[in-house]
Amino acid sequence: MLRGARPPATNFCSVYLGRDTTPRVGFPFRSLIRRLPFPRLLLQCLISHAVVGSFVQPGLEGSASLLHLFNNKSSQEQSYCETESRLASSLDFWTLSSENLIAVLPVDPVKENYVRKVRNCIFSIAFPTPFKSRVRLVAVSKEVLEDILDLDLSISETDAFIQLVSGEKIVSGSIPLTHRYGGHQFGIWADQLGDGRAHLIGIYKNRQGEKWELQLKGSGKTPYSRNGDGRAVLRSSVREFLCSEAMYHLGIPTSRAASLAVSDDEVWRDQFYNGNITKERGAVVLRVAKSWFRIGSLEILAHYGELDLLRTLLDFIIQEHFPSVDVKEPNRYVDFFSIVVSETAQLIALWMSVGFAHGVCNTDNFSLLSITIDYGPFGFMEAYNPDFVPNTSDDERRYKIGNQANIGMFNLNKLLQALNPLLDPGQKQLFRELFKAKLGLLGERKGDDDLIAFLLHLMEETEADFTMTFRQLGEITQSQLQELDIPQQFWALKMISKHKLFPAWASQYLLRLKSNMNDSDSERRKRMTTVNPRYVLKNWMAESAVQKAERNDFSEVHLLQHVLQHPFQMHSAAEKAGYASPTPSWAKDLRVSCSS
C-alpha cells in the first residue's frame, strides 16, 4: 500500500524513493533526484521468480551515412559549422532500418494485412496506407528534426519528407512493423491489442550514437486494428503533437513528436460515443521514442505461455535499454523490474507535480522505459481536485488524477506479481520532495507533510487552479503574503485566500520559509519559478488550437508549440492569449474522450 502525505479530506497519492537513479530525460528536478535514493512503489504481494534466457546480440540501425565523417571528433571540439554540416538537407543519404529488431525478435509469418489473432511473434509486417487526398504538413519540431534525427529544418519543405511523414513512402532498406501486445484496460484483461493504427517505420542512430524508433500514428489498418479504421483525426493529432512536446519541456520523460500532417480524407468518428457520428479529417503524427515496448508487450506472451519468446524479448530489452543490468546474471529480471518500478514511480510523481492526468492508464499504455506514451484523453488539472478525470469514457473514475499512483501499482503488479524483497525501510518519499521543491522549501523539517497536505486541502475546497497556485506562490513576495495583500494579478492565490483557513496556512508557510538556511526571498522566488510552470497545455488551449486547425488556421498550433517549449518563462504572446489566465467561461464544460 502506498503511504505518504495525508491531506485532511483527500487520498492524494505519494510515491517512495530509495537509491540514486539518473532519469532518461532531463527535468527541472534533476539536482534534487541526484540527492535522493532509489524510488520504488510499495507493492503488497509475493515475489515471482523470472526465468533466465539467452544473451541477445544487437543488430543494425539506420543512420545518415554522410554524418559519420565526423565520428572521430569529440562534441566539444566540433565547431558550429561542423555541427551544421552534419544535418542532412536531403533524405537521399538518410536511412532507417528495422534490422535491429527483426534480427532477434520473430516476425509474424503471415504477410497479408488483415485483422487476425497473431501468435508466437513480436511484430507483424504491415505497410502504412497512403491518404487518397491532398496532404499538408501542419507543424514540425525543429528540435526533434535537428537534435534527434540529424535533419536540417529545410528538409521539412520537401515532397520527400511529406511523403515519409504521411506514410506514402517508406525509406529504402527499412521494413515497417506493427507490434503485437495485450493489456489490462480499465482493470480487465483485454487480450490481444497491438498497434492498431501505428507503424514503426524504422530505427535511426544519430550522431550522438542514440537509437530512436520512428513511428507513424494514424497511418492505416494493421492486423491489430480490430474494428477500427487505422486512422487518427486532426483534433487528437494536434493534442498529441503539442502535449508530447510540452511534456518534454516541462521535464517529464516522454515520447517526442517530429511532425504533424493532415489530409482531406474523410474519417468518421463518434467522439463521445453518443451516436453522433461526424466527419473529420485524417491526420498523422510522426513520433519518436527510444522504445515503444510497454507492459502489455510482456503480458501477451505470459498470457499465452510463450515463455521462450518472453525470455528472448526481455533479454533484448535489457540489452538495449537497461545498461546497468547485467544480462548474464540469473537475477537480471528482478533487477530489470526494480528499475521499472523505480522509474515508473518517478514518472507518476512528476505527472502529479504538474497536475497531469494521463486519462487512460491501461497496462498497454505504460512504457517499460517509464516514459509518457499514447496521448489520448489526457488533461492538466485546472481547479485543484484529486477526483479530476479528463476522460469522459471513464465512468467509474478509475483513472482520476488522485488514483494514478494506485493504478501504477496495479499495472506494475501485472508486470511482476511481487516485489516485497526489494523494499527498503529507509526509503524517502519522492512525492514529498517534489512538492517541497514546488513550495521553495529547503532541508528537512517536521511538519512538511502536513504543510503540503494543508495546502492541497485548501486548493480542493476552493477549486483553486493547480498550476497557477504554485506558480503564483513563487511570484508573490513574502511581505505581500504576510499582509494577506493579494494583488489581482495573482488570481489563483486570491481564490484560495478566500478560504477561512488560508491565513493559518500562510502563517505556517512563512514560518517554515524562515527555516531555509542561507536563503532570501528573491532566491526563493527564482528557485520556485524554475520548477513551477507558468504554462501547461490545458484542454481549453488545445481545443482552441483544434478549432482553428479545423478551419486550416494553424497559427495557434504554432504559438502553443513555441510557448510550451519554454513553459517556465513568461511570454508576451502567451499572456495576451490568456494562457496564464483563468479558464474562459466557454470552456468550463469541455470534454474529451478515447475517440480519435
Side-chain angles (χ1 to χ4, degrees):
M1 184 172 106
L2 286 171
R3 302 194 304 271
R6 297 184 294 275
T10 178
N11 60 352
F12 211 70
C13 86
S14 59
V15 273
Y16 285 76
L17 196 67
R19 106 178 135 68
D20 184 87
T21 299
T22 302
R24 286 191 171 81
V25 178
F27 54 91
F29 307 110
R30 60 169 63 91
S31 60
L32 168 66
I33 297 298
R34 288 195 190 105
R35 299 199 309 269
L36 297 173
F38 177 29
R40 296 173 185 151
L41 286 174
L42 298 183
L43 305 180
Q44 293 191 337
C45 44
L46 298 175
I47 260 298
S48 66
H49 297 285
V51 289
V52 299
S54 58
F55 182 82
V56 178
Q57 295 292 341
L60 304 174
E61 305 82 32
S63 64
S65 48
L66 289 183
L67 309 182
H68 291 249
L69 296 174
F70 297 95
N71 275 357
N72 291 330
K73 294 188 177 182
S74 70
S75 58
Q76 289 85 357
E77 294 171 336
Q78 292 159 5
S79 67
Y80 173 81
C81 292
E82 286 175 324
T83 301
E84 288 296 299
S85 70
R86 299 175 67 172
L87 298 178
S89 57
S90 167
L91 292 178
D92 292 344
F93 297 96
W94 189 83
T95 64
L96 297 174
S97 175
S98 308
E99 180 66 23
N100 189 52
L101 296 172
I102 62 179
V104 176
L105 304 175
V107 174
D108 181 7
V110 179
K111 298 300 186 289
E112 290 79 10
N113 188 9
Y114 63 91
V115 175
R116 59 186 182 273
K117 286 285 188 180
V118 180
R119 294 287 186 273
N120 299 306
C121 68
I122 305 298
F123 297 105
S124 295
I125 296 174
F127 283 79
T129 303
F131 288 115
K132 298 177 181 178
S133 63
R134 178 189 64 158
V135 177
R136 293 179 56 192
L137 186 65
V138 171
V140 295
S141 169
K142 182 176 184 290
E143 286 183 353
V144 174
L145 260 60
E146 295 187 350
D147 298 344
I148 294 177
L149 300 180
D150 299 330
L151 294 173
D152 190 271
L153 182 62
S154 63
I155 207 170
S156 64
E157 301 173 2
T158 66
D159 289 339
F161 182 79
I162 295 177
Q163 291 170 352
L164 172 70
V165 302
S166 65
E168 182 176 346
K169 290 187 178 180
I170 296 297
V171 173
S172 177
S174 188
I175 299 174
L177 302 172
T178 55
H179 177 36
R180 172 194 174 214
Y181 55 81
H184 281 79
Q185 297 192 325
F186 294 92
I188 300 172
W189 174 248
D191 204 44
Q192 177 179 294
L193 298 168
D195 289 334
R197 55 177 173 166
H199 294 78
L200 196 160
I201 59 174
I203 299 176
Y204 180 74
K205 186 173 182 178
N206 66 18
R207 63 187 185 270
Q208 284 85 31
E210 302 168 334
K211 300 173 188 174
W212 291 88
E213 296 183 6
L214 280 67
Q215 187 184 79
L216 298 178
K217 182 176 180 180
S219 44
K221 284 191 173 183
T222 78
Y224 309 100
S225 293
R226 293 175 285 171
N227 297 320
D229 58 13
R231 292 298 187 193
V233 296
L234 180 59
R235 59 181 161 82
S236 64
S237 301
V238 166
R239 286 168 55 84
E240 171 138 7
F241 178 86
L242 288 174
C243 198
S244 55
E245 291 303 284
M247 291 285 275
Y248 172 78
H249 288 282
L250 283 170
I252 313 297
T254 178
S255 59
R256 301 292 303 275
S259 65
L260 169 60
V262 63
S263 76
D264 291 330
D265 280 23
E266 295 178 353
V267 177
W268 297 89
R269 286 289 185 272
D270 183 353
Q271 183 176 358
F272 294 112
Y273 306 107
N274 58 7
N276 184 23
I277 301 175
T278 58
K279 181 175 66 177
E280 303 187 50
R281 284 186 288 173
V284 173
V285 174
L286 172 60
R287 54 187 195 170
V288 302
K290 296 293 184 65
S291 172
W292 295 100
F293 289 125
R294 53 202 71 206
I295 291 176
S297 304
L298 305 180
E299 281 188 291
I300 192 74
L301 304 178
H303 181 80
Y304 284 103
E306 300 170 20
L307 299 186
D308 288 340
L309 190 48
L310 179 61
R311 295 184 192 103
T312 299
L313 178 58
L314 273 169
D315 286 343
F316 176 83
I317 292 171
I318 291 171
Q319 173 70 21
E320 289 290 310
H321 303 292
F322 292 81
S324 64
V325 178
D326 186 347
V327 294
K328 298 178 182 179
E329 282 293 323
N331 292 328
R332 62 191 178 279
Y333 300 139
V334 173
D335 294 339
F336 159 76
F337 280 124
S338 72
I339 293 175
V340 174
V341 169
S342 159
E343 296 188 353
T344 298
Q346 286 190 15
L347 178 65
I348 293 175
L350 288 168
W351 284 357
M352 303 294 281
S353 73
V354 295
F356 175 79
H358 185 280
V360 197
C361 297
N362 299 325
T363 58
D364 56 292
N365 293 334
F366 259 51
S367 162
L368 290 174
L369 271 61
S370 305
I371 62 175
T372 314
I373 60 171
D374 293 353
Y375 291 91
F378 65 84
F380 282 88
M381 180 170 56
E382 297 180 28
Y384 175 72
N385 178 10
D387 293 329
F388 169 62
V389 177
N391 183 3
T392 59
S393 303
D394 189 359
D395 296 329
E396 296 181 358
R397 309 179 75 84
R398 175 181 176 84
Y399 296 143
K400 62 184 180 182
I401 191 169
N403 200 39
Q404 286 185 135
N406 291 330
I407 293 302
M409 187 166 64
F410 173 90
N411 291 348
L412 290 166
N413 190 31
K414 295 302 177 183
L415 179 61
L416 181 64
Q417 291 299 308
L419 291 176
N420 273 341
L422 302 178
L423 299 180
D424 180 353
Q427 293 168 330
K428 295 183 180 180
Q429 300 177 20
L430 177 58
F431 176 88
R432 178 205 302 155
E433 294 298 328
L434 289 172
F435 275 81
K436 280 174 55 182
K438 290 177 73 66
L439 287 173
L441 307 181
L442 300 177
E444 292 282 344
R445 292 292 185 276
K446 183 179 179 181
D448 283 350
D449 285 357
D450 293 336
L451 186 66
I452 296 168
F454 193 178
L455 175 61
L456 294 178
H457 174 64
L458 298 183
M459 291 170 66
E460 179 182 0
E461 293 210 335
T462 59
E463 296 187 346
D465 187 277
F466 181 83
T467 300
M468 293 309 296
T469 294
F470 284 101
R471 176 70 184 202
Q472 290 173 6
L473 277 173
E475 293 176 342
I476 197 169
T477 65
Q478 290 190 43
S479 59
Q480 288 173 314
L481 197 57
Q482 185 169 10
E483 297 171 8
L484 299 178
D485 177 21
I486 313 293
Q488 189 59 45
Q489 71 194 74
F490 302 118
W491 55 269
L493 285 182
K494 205 165 186 68
M495 178 182 295
I496 197 174
S497 69
K498 295 177 182 178
H499 197 288
K500 62 181 181 180
L501 296 178
F502 179 77
W505 179 85
S507 177
Q508 291 180 25
Y509 177 55
L510 290 168
L511 184 64
R512 173 62 177 85
L513 289 178
K514 289 182 179 179
S515 69
N516 284 350
M517 298 294 293
N518 302 316
D519 196 27
S520 66
D521 192 41
S522 60
E523 286 297 318
R524 172 194 66 87
R525 285 183 285 140
K526 180 180 178 180
R527 190 169 62 250
M528 289 176 66
T529 54
T530 63
V531 297
N532 291 307
R534 189 168 177 84
Y535 312 108
V536 296
L537 184 62
K538 295 181 177 179
N539 271 338
W540 74 264
M541 295 156 60
E543 179 64 18
S544 178
V546 166
Q547 289 180 6
K548 290 179 181 177
E550 295 286 8
R551 302 191 298 270
N552 291 322
D553 176 1
F554 299 101
S555 59
E556 191 155 17
V557 172
H558 300 148
L559 172 60
L560 281 168
Q561 181 185 2
H562 174 70
V563 169
L564 295 171
Q565 287 177 342
H566 307 282
F568 302 95
Q569 301 175 14
M570 188 176 292
H571 302 261
S572 58
E575 297 298 308
K576 185 177 180 181
Y579 293 161
S581 300
T583 300
S585 57
W586 63 263
K588 294 293 185 183
D589 297 319
L590 262 184
R591 299 182 303 157
V592 292
S593 73
C594 291
S595 168
S596 55

